[in-house]
Amino acid sequence: MTTTAATVLAVVWLAAGTGPADAHVLEGARLFRENRFAEALVEFRVAERLGAAEARAYAGAALVKLDRPEDALELFEGPGAPAPGAHPLLDYYHALACYGARLYRCADQLLATVGERTGPRIAEQARQIRRDIASALPAEPPADSVDWYLARAAERAAGGRTVLARAFAAEARALGAGRPDRHGVAQAEAVLAKLPPSAAPLAP
Amino acid sequence: VILPLLAAALLAQTSPDPRDPCAPVTPGSPDPAAAETYEAVADEERAAGREESAVAAYRAALERDAGRGGARAALEGMCAARRREKAFTDGLARVRSGDCRGALPSLDEARRAGDPAAALLAGVCRYQLGEDDGAADALREAAGDEETRASAELYLGLLALRGGRPGEASPLFRAAAADPGLAPVARALARDARQEGRVVLALLGEASWDSNVDAAPRRALGAEDVGDAVGGATALLTVAPWRERGPYVRGAFTLQEQARRDAYDLLATSLAAGLPLGPGTRRLLLEYGWDLRRVGGAPYLSAHRLLAEGRAVVREGLTAGAAYALRGETFHGAELEDDSGLRHGFQLDVTAALRRARVTVGWQGGWNGARVEPRASTEHGPLLGLSAPLTPRVRVVLELALAWRVWRAVDPDLEVRRRDSYLDAATRLELDLAERWTAYLGVAGRRTSSNVPDLRYGRVVPTAGISYTAGLF
């Protein structure tokens, strides 16, 4: 840990609330800083159980680090999730979760809002990811790609993971809308109509 | 207040976590209420398939309340699975690097933890190392699990076959054939098992067309009728009381009748006694044999022969072999007596299993010590063999050999020292009609070259046949 980080940790520790949930959030943050993401996730989950609603998004960030993007996405977009734009760093992790789940439109939208608010290093990484997405996404998305997202949405809906189903259906709708024949758009909207609304909606 | 800390944390770069999540849990300050929350989180993480965080949460629960039996059992179960997985992965890596013996400690550790895949791999390794008893124990364990049963039965069948128990092997192979991935191999082995025993009887009948019965010079081909149809039958009986682990005797009787050229009718009898030594991975075979041939109803050749042949497994799927044969030949009849003498032969080869095919590459040669120098010769050349299944019941066999022969002295009639070369090629398509019946279609050909133009000739022999092989006792 750097001296600056240790100082920040000490200051925050002293300044933080004394409730049991805050202590677990702090412990989770310390573990996260030490790259102990599984233990950090546990602390954030415990904090959430003890009433720290904001810990849910931090758990999402830990899941991104643990390479569980779909699990993370359920926390970033499920009930109790912070609205996009509330904190740029959480938006950045939310975008990484979208990117890991191959939800490139979702990732691009979030990264566009991150801007310079997270500092120069993250901002540069966000720009690089956006460049990668722009070069990977063709102007007219192939119908096969739209179908792939629709199939994923159906699978996740069948498995009861409605947050993911909504995310994949929304991606399919956005991709299909980029085609002259609007392939799959109606199908995606039909899927979305059957699903509960997102707790943290992005622009359609 | 917390956000700056989280910001610092979330900006962290990833690096490996050196902590062992399955080390003994060190008790901390008792806090049963917190322990209960940690255990609830652990159960959720485990249900979500997030093993790493589940282990961390169970540890946190036990640090605060060592008496939580459910958390302890769950943690021990997950850590045992991790250790088993690691031991199996270590063992598998060693097997893949060709170190089967070095893999055994890890595989046995995983096996003791109840991993059937490790039991299977340990069994296969011990089978390859020739440790049949240990292999059987491990494979029987693997056969108890549905996922590894078919492969384990296949190797148990191979063990039974190697142990001289084909009757036990055959049903194991048939059971293994239920797995579509193993079916081709298992069916072939089941067939082989049905064809093995203490007494093996093989009967073969075939019809062929020999395009050049008397090896007439190439220029004679077409100029006169040099071909003839041939019908033949062979009976072969092998008695091996200890199967492949002890001495055996073998007798063969062959009859070939030409349709028109009775002078080339063949009657051949061959008797042999042999002794195999060593395990399957390093095999030495010693054999004595006696051959008698009559051609056209008259005595043609009698020969005593000795054979020493060794074969060793170099590594998985690769064997090397060496053979030496010594024949004392006596030709009968005034024109042939001078060909009599001692003949030495050798062969060196390697045989590799490439996917489902078997490829043999080697070099063979001989020294023909005929009693009259112009009839004596030396020869050598490469050989290539390929055998591959086309379908579970059809195989193709291809054999190629080239020999350069140099005669030892000037031929008094030709007034030249002969230098010949012989290119032999044969291919055969074998179809398993039933476990004991096999039909085949083949074609063999020879093309010779010589510094004496009149001795160059070609020959093609297409053949169709059927064989019956039965193992008894």
Side-chain angles (χ1 to χ4, degrees):
Chain A
M1 190 190 307
T2 64
T3 308
T4 308
T7 307
V8 170
L9 179 65
V11 170
V12 172
W13 187 275
L14 292 170
T18 54
D22 289 341
H24 287 289
V25 173
L26 285 169
E27 180 63 3
R30 185 186 67 80
L31 292 164
F32 197 107
R33 182 66 187 86
E34 293 179 5
N35 300 327
R36 293 159 65 178
F37 303 114
E39 292 158 276
L41 172 63
V42 170
E43 292 302 328
F44 293 139
R45 301 295 283 182
V46 169
E48 186 189 354
R49 275 186 158 260
L50 296 177
E54 74 278 14
R56 192 172 177 78
Y58 307 149
L63 284 167
V64 169
K65 287 290 192 182
L66 289 167
D67 199 21
R68 306 284 300 223
E70 291 195 4
D71 291 357
L73 209 57
E74 286 182 308
L75 299 189
F76 284 122
E77 298 187 7
H87 194 284
L89 203 53
L90 291 178
D91 286 346
Y92 174 70
Y93 275 95
H94 184 174
L96 291 184
C98 289
Y99 189 77
R102 303 191 194 179
L103 297 164
Y104 301 122
R105 300 262 176 178
C106 159
D108 192 54
Q109 271 189 316
L110 286 161
L111 291 171
T113 68
V114 168
E116 300 295 328
R117 293 184 297 153
T118 52
R121 186 166 61 85
I122 294 292
E124 176 49 35
Q125 287 178 358
R127 279 195 293 273
Q128 182 58 50
I129 295 170
R130 292 198 74 198
R131 281 194 292 269
D132 293 345
I133 291 172
S135 62
L137 283 180
E140 183 182 326
D144 287 351
S145 297
V146 179
D147 292 341
W148 185 86
Y149 286 101
L150 287 171
R152 273 281 166 104
E155 282 173 18
R156 297 300 180 267
R161 301 181 77 174
T162 55
V163 171
L164 293 174
R166 170 168 285 282
F168 282 113
E171 190 82 7
R173 181 177 61 186
L175 285 174
R179 292 174 52 84
D181 62 358
R182 296 179 64 78
H183 177 85
V185 171
Q187 202 176 338
E189 285 177 343
V191 173
L192 289 166
K194 290 180 187 170
L195 294 169
S198 171
L202 292 171
Chain B
V1 174
I2 294 171
L3 281 177
L5 169 65
L6 286 165
L10 298 181
L11 288 165
Q13 296 299 297
T14 304
S15 63
D17 178 359
R19 288 164 53 99
D20 175 10
C22 288
V25 176
T26 306
S29 303
D31 187 346
E36 189 176 349
T37 307
Y38 276 108
E39 185 172 346
V41 168
D43 291 341
E44 285 177 3
E45 292 299 298
R46 192 181 190 186
R50 296 191 288 262
E51 190 181 302
E52 197 178 348
S53 49
V55 167
Y58 283 127
R59 289 183 65 85
L62 290 168
E63 284 166 5
R64 289 158 178 81
D65 183 358
R68 300 196 74 83
R72 186 167 298 283
L75 180 63
E76 285 175 357
M78 295 179 80
C79 286
R82 281 180 164 222
R83 283 192 291 271
R84 188 175 68 190
E85 184 67 26
K86 183 179 183 313
F88 178 77
T89 305
D90 291 349
L92 183 63
R94 281 190 175 266
V95 170
R96 283 180 172 158
S97 69
D99 184 11
C100 237
R101 186 168 296 287
L104 284 173
S106 296
L107 293 175
D108 284 340
E109 182 186 339
R111 186 180 151 201
R112 281 192 295 275
D115 186 340
L120 174 64
L121 210 49
V124 171
C125 270
R126 288 198 160 89
Y127 169 81
Q128 290 175 352
L129 293 166
E131 299 173 4
D132 288 9
D133 291 342
D137 290 342
L139 291 169
R140 276 193 286 269
E141 281 177 29
D145 186 273
E146 193 176 342
E147 288 292 313
T148 49
R149 181 171 301 139
S151 297
E153 285 171 336
L154 183 78
Y155 274 91
L156 282 168
L158 288 170
L159 277 175
L161 212 54
R162 192 155 77 184
R165 305 183 304 280
E168 184 184 319
S170 190
L172 285 163
F173 291 140
R174 281 201 296 271
D179 183 326
L182 299 175
V185 174
R187 284 204 196 100
L189 289 167
R191 184 195 65 239
D192 291 348
R194 296 286 290 174
Q195 297 178 0
E196 293 197 9
R198 289 186 173 86
V199 177
V200 177
L201 173 67
L203 300 171
L204 182 151
E206 63 181 27
S208 58
W209 172 262
D210 188 338
S211 70
N212 190 359
V213 177
D214 50 3
R218 210 177 294 165
R219 61 185 167 80
L221 287 171
E224 58 180 290
D225 187 5
V226 294
D228 199 3
V230 187
T234 297
L236 189 145
L237 184 70
T238 304
V239 179
W242 294 273
R243 300 183 192 269
E244 60 181 28
R245 294 191 169 187
Y248 62 87
V249 293
R250 186 179 64 239
F253 179 82
T254 298
L255 177 67
Q256 284 186 354
E257 287 283 332
Q258 303 283 330
R260 291 182 293 117
R261 296 173 168 242
D262 295 342
Y264 290 96
D265 288 348
L266 172 70
L267 193 65
T269 303
S270 173
L271 297 173
L275 176 65
L277 300 168
T281 51
R282 292 185 307 280
R283 199 82 160 158
L284 177 64
L285 174 69
L286 303 173
E287 185 181 282
Y288 163 77
W290 175 73
D291 299 333
L292 181 68
R293 288 186 187 180
R294 295 174 68 86
V295 175
Y300 176 76
L301 166 70
S302 63
H304 297 274
R305 55 184 168 79
L306 292 171
L307 169 70
E309 180 181 350
R311 182 159 295 279
V313 176
V314 178
R315 60 178 173 81
E316 187 178 355
L318 182 68
T319 67
Y324 168 76
L326 175 65
R327 281 168 66 92
E329 298 180 327
T330 303
F331 286 90
H332 303 285
E335 290 184 5
L336 298 171
E337 279 178 355
D338 288 346
D339 286 321
S340 301
L342 278 179
R343 183 188 292 262
H344 304 264
F346 75 87
Q347 178 175 315
L348 300 170
D349 69 74
V350 290
T351 297
L354 300 175
R355 295 178 182 271
R356 291 160 60 194
R358 187 168 295 274
V359 180
T360 297
V361 179
W363 205 271
Q364 61 183 355
W367 179 74
N368 178 7
R371 70 173 62 154
V372 175
E373 277 232 323
R375 301 286 183 97
S377 63
T378 58
E379 65 179 66
H380 67 95
L383 60 89
L384 171 70
L386 170 70
S387 170
L390 298 180
T391 73
R393 293 173 54 203
V394 180
R395 294 173 299 283
V396 64
V397 179
L398 174 68
E399 293 164 349
L400 283 171
L402 176 63
W404 294 282
R405 182 181 296 173
V406 178
W407 301 81
R408 196 177 308 162
V410 172
D411 187 298
D413 298 327
L414 300 171
E415 297 182 339
V416 66
R417 185 182 176 194
R418 286 174 58 188
R419 294 174 186 276
D420 302 343
S421 63
Y422 302 82
L423 175 63
D424 291 295
T427 184
R428 193 168 64 251
L429 206 60
E430 298 178 348
L431 167 65
D432 294 327
L433 302 173
E435 283 190 348
R436 288 173 169 154
W437 289 93
T438 301
Y440 59 91
L441 285 172
V443 59
R446 163 172 279 198
R447 191 179 181 96
T448 71
S449 181
S450 175
N451 59 344
V452 181
D454 280 353
L455 297 178
R456 298 171 189 165
Y457 68 93
R459 189 178 200 177
V460 178
V461 184
T463 302
I466 188 167
S467 69
Y468 171 86
T469 306
L472 308 172
F473 314 115

